[in-house]
Amino acid sequence: MDMNQYLSMFIDESNDHLQSLNENMMGLEANPEDLGIVQVIFRSAHTLKGMAATMGFEDLASLTHQMENVLDLVRNSKLVMQDFIFDTLFKSLDALEAMVQDITGGGEGKADVSSIVASLQAIVRGEVPSAQGEGPGPAAAASKAMETPALLDEFQLSVLEQSIQAGHQVLFIEVTIREDCQLRAVRAYMVFELLERFGEVVKSFPSVQDIEQEKFDFSFSLYYISQKTAEEMQTLIMGVSEIDKVTSVALDAELLGQLGQAAVAATAEQAPPAPARENTPPVTPAPAAPPKKEEAKKAPAKSAGAPSRTIRVDIDRLDVLMNLLSELLIDRVRLEQHASDIQSGELTETVEHMSRVSADLQNIVMKLRMVPVDTVFNRFPRMVRDLAKSLDKKVDLVITGAETELDRTVVDEIGDPLVHLLRNALDHGVESVADRVAAGKPEMGTIQLRAFHSGNHVFIEIQDDGAGISREKVLKSAMNKGIVTAEQAAAMSDNEAHQLLFAAGFSTAEVISDISGRGVGLDVVKAKISSLGGNVTIYSTPGKGTTFSVQLPLTLSIIAAMLVRLGPEKYAIPLSSIVETGIVKRSQIRSVHGAKMVEFRGSHIPIVSLSSFFNVSDYDETGEEETEIIVIRKGDKLVALTVQDFIGQNEIVIKNLGKYLPNIQGISGGTILGDGQVALIIDPNAFIK
Amino acid sequence: MAEDIKVIVFKLAAEEYGIEVDKVQTIERLMPITRVPKTYSFIKGVINLRGVVIPVIDLRGRFGLEEAEHTDQTRIIIVVVNEMEVGFIVDSANDVIDLNREDIDTPPEVVGGIKAKYLDGVAKIGEGRLLIMLNLSEVLNKSEIVQLESFEG
């Protein structure tokens, strides 16, 4: 069978399972007694194992198998979770992740996992006195076999015995079909067909007739004679689609003997409860059963909702859709213009309706591209845990607003900068336990990771309750690096001093040891965020902690902008950076130290002539008595730009100017106007230093 | 026997130039060009070519020839080189010819005032007509532009 077509699905689902494993392991670590979580983890690991085995990734399957063994002991209360076990399991998860990564990159998913496997086995063997000699997996499953109501009569038992003597494999197989499966009987039939190809089914429960008439829940079990081993059969059956779980155990003569006795005992004692059991999958000890049900309810809700309600779409297709929509928007604006020129009532009406529809369409397409920041955030708890451990600090990561949505392209890019900021907060923000106690703070440091909407932006804040930034140390280091002079340093506000951390060149290895260490590549973080059209600021209170606030645009491709005219040329200014528009008299513009300033709401701000900045010919504003200004903002700094005319507000589609053009100061891109002409988009950042 | 190629022929001043057909995306009549400030003088601006913004170069300016008034014959040739789409403003473009690679000779040092490195070669086509084949990746080489500018400036 050609597996390639399933590969991408395998990768997607493996990542989902790994993610849920990680999350649940974290949950379990916080609450080691909760066997319900163990069930969920076990199930994820199990599914992963099945998928990996089906796809032929042996290492992946064998490692998950070992994890499963450990987890199986835990969920059967034969093993109590401890730090060592957690660490080993986390290590296994890392190894699994690495393998899946490798497969994603086109590799074979091979990795040397022997040491992890060894320690997992050690856990299973050494630390569990109650484990039976032959290892937990078969033992547990065999005990399952004993309890199943699928009792064998004497004849069947003797058939099995003889088969074992003849050197055949006698297997007890339990198959669980996915709960969302529509045609259970068909799936069951497929399993039986598969089984009969390789051997003989001796006895099944419920009976074959019942199964064919769909008179069973989601699982059935059977005794089976074959040449294949238990593992091979398991892999084969997992190959049938919509199969959730397969347990396959090889039985030997001894177990069979016990079964025979159990059969006698059961006919006497277990006969009444048997019908009741029909409806629940014949699962192990009773205490484990309720959490299992709970998990069954939880699992579908968590993992991508019910599968039938979502589809995975190639991002490229969404991009194509977005591009087509951009074309439509351009034409819409053009139509609107024509309609108002022609002044035909019917046309105007139609165009208005089309505008509404296309606005809705735009909303939907934008929403399609939105993904919750959770997709980035979800790997942080694990990272923080590991880092805190290696730094020997106690840190609690509190995530809020993980459901906040952002454009996919932004989410893809924002991960690394956030990792950087988080590491910073952990490494240099939160103090060591001893320091914290000395400062009268609780031992456990807290890092808040918040995401929220505000206007047309999404904010992501990382706040620690550490020592804060020392102004003196930052300034000293900045002066040593020649970033600021002593006079400049003295004149700086605390806030300005903090922003120095983002200065290029501030981050060197020397700095890390010199001062509290903040500034490790923060200029890179800032550059990355700026390239996304965002902004990052620092707030810090000595002794109380530091907050990094990252401001991001909701989307990168369509923005609201103000169109302005400069002589014959038109420019677009992003609305998000405009504070206010207005008209000032020429006489109000003053010259201060050679720079032109204008009074704005009680303070003086610089004023820049756009037409002279862009060398616009055919237009001279100096003769005018009054001039239109647009006040733009970056952070808390304001600048007024003079323009000839305001044209109006518009939704514009951002287009880049082509690879050939170099970066042009003051221009961030182009857009196509309703009349088909290109207007350049002004980059407000260029006017504010 | 070398392969035959198809070549778009266009005019700049008195000379005829050629670009291989598969590097040309389309040939357009002159259309409104949006000026892009703060860049090289030979970059005339950007145009909207069916929804894609494409920069346009005056090829006369690029080769240091005197820029001419645009006429009815003026065309914009859109070429694609190294995934860059760029428009060339030329005096006229009205011919496609077949050429055998064997007929292209290595260029002399200077042809029509253009440095040899911008050229792939010179081909004789019929009665005394010379066709200058352009080396597009050199023409669009940006690092070279910087040198050119600093040299001239």
Side-chain angles (χ1 to χ4, degrees):
Chain A
M1 180 157 60
D2 179 21
M3 287 295 179
N4 271 336
Q5 51 178 324
Y6 301 114
L7 192 60
S8 68
M9 201 189 281
F10 168 76
I11 291 168
D12 280 349
E13 290 188 7
S14 309
N15 283 328
D16 285 354
H17 281 295
L18 283 173
Q19 185 52 46
S20 104
L21 280 171
N22 254 321
E23 273 167 19
N24 287 313
M25 284 294 292
M26 301 286 293
L28 186 64
E29 195 175 29
N31 194 359
E33 301 299 311
D34 192 343
L35 287 180
I37 303 181
V38 182
Q39 290 285 2
V40 179
I41 297 173
F42 184 82
R43 181 181 260 223
S44 279
H46 190 87
T47 318
L48 194 58
K49 176 174 104 177
M51 293 193 314
T54 317
M55 297 295 292
F57 299 118
E58 308 276 336
D59 287 352
L60 204 64
S62 72
L63 181 53
T64 28
H65 180 71
Q66 296 301 334
M67 286 176 69
E68 222 180 292
N69 286 349
V70 173
L71 290 167
D72 192 55
L73 291 180
V74 176
R75 71 169 179 172
N76 291 331
S77 306
K78 288 178 183 160
L79 183 65
V80 180
M81 289 303 277
Q82 328 169 353
D83 274 1
F84 174 65
I85 303 178
F86 275 115
D87 283 346
T88 316
L89 287 176
F90 273 125
K91 258 185 234 156
S92 322
L93 285 184
D94 284 343
L96 291 177
E97 245 162 64
M99 285 188 248
V100 173
Q101 282 285 320
D102 183 43
I103 294 167
T104 313
E108 300 269 295
K110 295 243 178 267
D112 182 18
V113 292
S114 49
S115 68
I116 301 176
V117 167
S119 44
L120 284 171
Q121 281 167 341
I123 295 173
V124 171
R125 264 183 282 110
E127 308 201 12
V128 190
S130 64
Q132 285 121 20
E134 53 187 302
S143 68
K144 236 184 268 179
M146 320 256 296
E147 290 186 21
T148 15
L151 298 171
L152 300 169
D153 59 32
E154 267 174 54
F155 170 69
Q156 286 159 337
L157 265 175
S158 70
V159 170
L160 293 182
E161 270 165 24
Q162 281 166 15
S163 307
I164 290 175
Q165 279 159 16
H168 293 291
Q169 291 275 343
V170 171
L171 307 177
F172 172 74
I173 300 175
E174 191 187 332
V175 181
T176 309
I177 295 177
R178 282 207 344 224
E179 292 184 21
D180 52 349
C181 175
Q182 298 294 325
L183 298 164
R184 298 196 301 272
V186 176
R187 294 298 169 209
Y189 175 74
M190 287 169 73
V191 172
F192 274 93
E193 197 204 40
L194 181 88
L195 288 170
E196 272 155 20
R197 239 184 290 158
F198 299 103
E200 196 184 338
V201 178
V202 177
K203 165 96 183 174
S204 82
F205 185 85
S207 70
V208 179
Q209 285 84 359
D210 281 352
I211 292 177
E212 273 174 5
Q213 288 163 23
E214 226 169 88
K215 284 185 186 164
F216 70 109
D217 253 5
F218 295 103
S219 68
F220 53 90
S221 47
L222 45 88
Y223 289 92
Y224 180 63
I225 304 173
S226 167
Q227 288 292 356
K228 301 257 176 198
T229 65
E231 306 277 295
E232 280 172 331
M233 281 325 293
Q234 191 156 341
T235 315
L236 279 169
I237 298 173
M238 278 313 280
V240 177
S241 46
E242 294 192 285
I243 296 297
D244 191 31
K245 191 174 143 182
V246 177
T247 343
S248 163
V249 187
L251 303 180
D252 52 21
E254 191 187 330
L255 272 169
L256 218 52
Q258 291 172 13
L259 270 176
Q261 288 161 17
V264 179
T267 35
E269 290 168 25
Q270 286 198 346
R277 286 204 175 201
E278 261 176 53
N279 291 332
T280 41
V283 193
T284 49
K292 168 115 186 170
K293 269 189 183 161
E294 218 171 88
E295 155 229 17
K297 273 181 217 144
K298 248 191 281 171
K302 242 186 172 175
S303 61
S308 56
R309 305 212 42 191
T310 57
I311 50 168
R312 294 177 193 269
V313 180
D314 194 330
I315 299 174
D316 287 346
R317 291 194 195 168
L318 280 186
D319 285 343
V320 171
L321 184 60
M322 193 70 193
N323 279 340
L324 290 174
L325 182 75
S326 325
E327 299 285 304
L328 191 65
L329 287 185
I330 290 162
D331 284 347
R332 180 186 92 188
V333 177
R334 201 183 296 189
L335 264 181
E336 276 169 356
Q337 243 168 38
H338 283 312
S340 71
D341 288 349
I342 294 170
Q343 294 196 328
S344 140
E346 273 182 34
L347 180 61
T348 314
E349 230 170 70
T350 319
V351 170
E352 271 172 8
H353 182 249
M354 193 189 126
S355 302
R356 278 196 298 274
V357 173
S358 64
D360 288 351
L361 189 62
Q362 183 187 340
N363 268 333
I364 290 286
V365 174
M366 297 307 292
K367 271 195 196 131
L368 284 184
R369 295 178 52 89
M370 299 294 246
V371 287
V373 281
D374 188 42
T375 49
V376 189
F377 282 8
N378 58 23
R379 60 185 158 117
F380 292 156
R382 178 66 206 286
M383 187 194 88
V384 169
R385 172 198 176 272
D386 289 0
L387 200 61
K389 265 208 158 163
S390 70
L391 290 169
D392 209 16
K393 291 179 181 179
K394 289 191 176 169
V395 179
D396 188 20
L397 178 69
V398 182
I399 296 180
T400 43
E403 71 286 347
T404 312
E405 289 188 325
L406 259 174
D407 192 284
R408 168 86 202 204
T409 35
V410 183
V411 168
D412 283 350
E413 301 287 323
I414 197 64
D416 289 346
L418 287 183
V419 166
H420 216 118
L421 290 176
L422 270 177
R423 292 184 72 98
N424 238 316
L426 260 166
D427 199 1
H428 311 301
V430 177
E431 318 92 319
S432 65
V433 173
D435 287 355
R436 288 188 69 88
V437 173
K441 293 181 182 178
E443 274 187 19
M444 178 78 89
T446 308
I447 295 179
Q448 303 256 6
L449 180 61
R450 276 189 299 264
F452 55 91
H453 276 284
S454 173
N456 239 342
H457 288 93
V458 167
F459 287 82
I460 298 178
E461 290 187 347
I462 294 166
Q463 180 180 19
D464 64 60
D465 63 347
I469 302 170
S470 156
R471 172 198 163 95
E472 285 69 37
K473 283 180 181 168
V474 170
L475 287 179
K476 205 175 128 208
S477 172
M479 281 188 282
N480 286 343
K481 295 272 175 300
I483 297 167
V484 289
T485 63
E487 295 87 61
Q488 281 175 320
M492 274 186 166
S493 69
D494 282 1
N495 200 13
E496 282 169 330
H498 296 156
Q499 311 309 324
L500 280 177
L501 296 185
F502 290 119
F506 192 85
S507 57
T508 68
E510 209 180 300
V511 179
I512 297 170
S513 51
D514 261 351
I515 65 160
S516 60
R518 286 176 174 271
V520 193
L522 280 179
D523 57 329
V524 181
V525 171
K526 181 161 181 126
K528 183 86 209 178
I529 291 169
S530 300
S531 76
L532 292 172
N535 200 3
V536 53
T537 36
I538 311 178
Y539 309 94
S540 180
T541 322
K544 289 273 173 58
T546 309
T547 305
F548 284 85
S549 177
V550 179
Q551 183 190 22
L552 293 165
L554 269 183
T555 173
L556 296 179
S557 42
I558 298 184
I559 58 167
M562 167 76 89
L563 293 176
V564 299
R565 197 192 315 277
L566 294 172
E569 300 178 0
K570 291 173 184 171
Y571 290 88
I573 304 176
L575 219 51
S576 54
S577 54
I578 297 180
V579 180
E580 199 168 315
T581 58
I583 297 179
V584 293
K585 291 208 164 59
R586 282 260 141 208
S587 54
Q588 284 178 295
I589 301 176
R590 307 213 179 101
S591 203
V592 181
H593 276 294
K596 290 201 169 148
M597 306 286 270
V598 69
E599 195 182 326
F600 175 75
R601 306 238 171 263
S603 64
H604 279 83
I605 60 171
I607 185 163
V608 176
S609 162
L610 265 191
S611 61
S612 55
F613 185 86
F614 288 138
N615 310 315
V616 179
S617 52
D618 310 332
Y619 171 60
D620 187 18
E621 60 193 350
T622 48
E624 288 184 334
E625 257 188 34
E626 291 180 332
T627 182
E628 280 85 356
I629 60 163
I630 290 185
V631 181
I632 58 170
R633 170 176 58 189
K634 178 188 172 193
D636 47 6
K637 291 183 185 167
L638 302 174
V639 165
L641 304 175
T642 64
V643 299
Q644 185 189 4
D645 266 325
F646 305 126
I647 299 171
Q649 264 184 42
N650 240 332
E651 298 266 290
I652 59 166
V653 179
I654 302 176
K655 306 243 172 192
N656 70 19
L657 295 182
K659 282 188 188 165
Y660 180 67
L661 285 182
N663 280 332
I664 298 158
Q665 198 198 1
I667 302 291
S668 64
T671 186
I672 295 169
L673 300 178
D675 59 6
Q677 292 213 25
V678 181
L680 300 177
I681 302 170
I682 289 174
D683 173 16
N685 293 336
F687 296 90
I688 303 172
K689 298 291 168 311
Chain B
M1 188 64 193
E3 55 174 332
D4 277 332
I5 51 171
K6 277 195 187 300
V7 173
I8 304 258
V9 179
F10 64 89
K11 272 192 169 171
L12 273 187
E15 309 284 346
E16 284 187 294
Y17 296 82
I19 301 177
E20 277 177 54
V21 129
D22 53 1
K23 293 198 171 131
V24 176
Q25 194 181 52
T26 124
I27 300 175
E28 299 285 322
R29 286 177 179 277
L30 208 57
M31 58 174 83
I33 299 174
T34 302
R35 188 184 69 98
V36 176
K38 293 183 177 282
T39 181
Y40 312 113
S41 61
F42 59 81
I43 297 181
K44 287 293 135 190
V46 288
I47 56 167
N48 162 22
L49 184 75
R50 291 178 276 281
V52 180
V53 177
I54 295 177
V56 177
I57 295 173
D58 190 324
L59 216 50
R60 278 174 169 257
R62 178 70 184 89
F63 292 148
L65 302 173
E66 194 185 327
E67 289 184 21
E69 285 287 305
H70 297 157
T71 67
D72 274 0
Q73 295 295 308
T74 307
R75 293 288 180 274
I76 302 177
I77 302 181
I78 313 285
V79 299
V80 186
V81 182
N82 305 333
E83 294 178 13
M84 282 192 291
E85 285 177 287
V86 178
F88 290 146
I89 302 179
V90 299
D91 290 357
S92 69
N94 39 24
D95 207 356
V96 182
I97 59 164
D98 292 313
L99 207 61
N100 193 291
R101 279 207 190 275
E102 276 186 351
D103 297 338
I104 303 175
D105 302 324
T106 38
E109 260 314 291
V110 171
V111 181
I114 300 173
K115 293 198 191 92
K117 67 187 224 175
Y118 296 146
L119 310 179
D120 256 351
V122 177
K124 276 201 193 72
I125 41 166
E127 325 82 54
R129 272 172 85 193
L130 278 181
L131 188 68
I132 305 166
M133 297 295 297
L134 284 186
N135 180 344
L136 287 182
S137 40
E138 275 303 324
V139 173
L140 295 179
N141 187 332
K142 275 187 275 187
S143 58
E144 208 255 338
I145 297 173
V146 178
Q147 287 171 13
L148 187 85
E149 288 285 302
S150 57
F151 176 71
E152 284 176 351

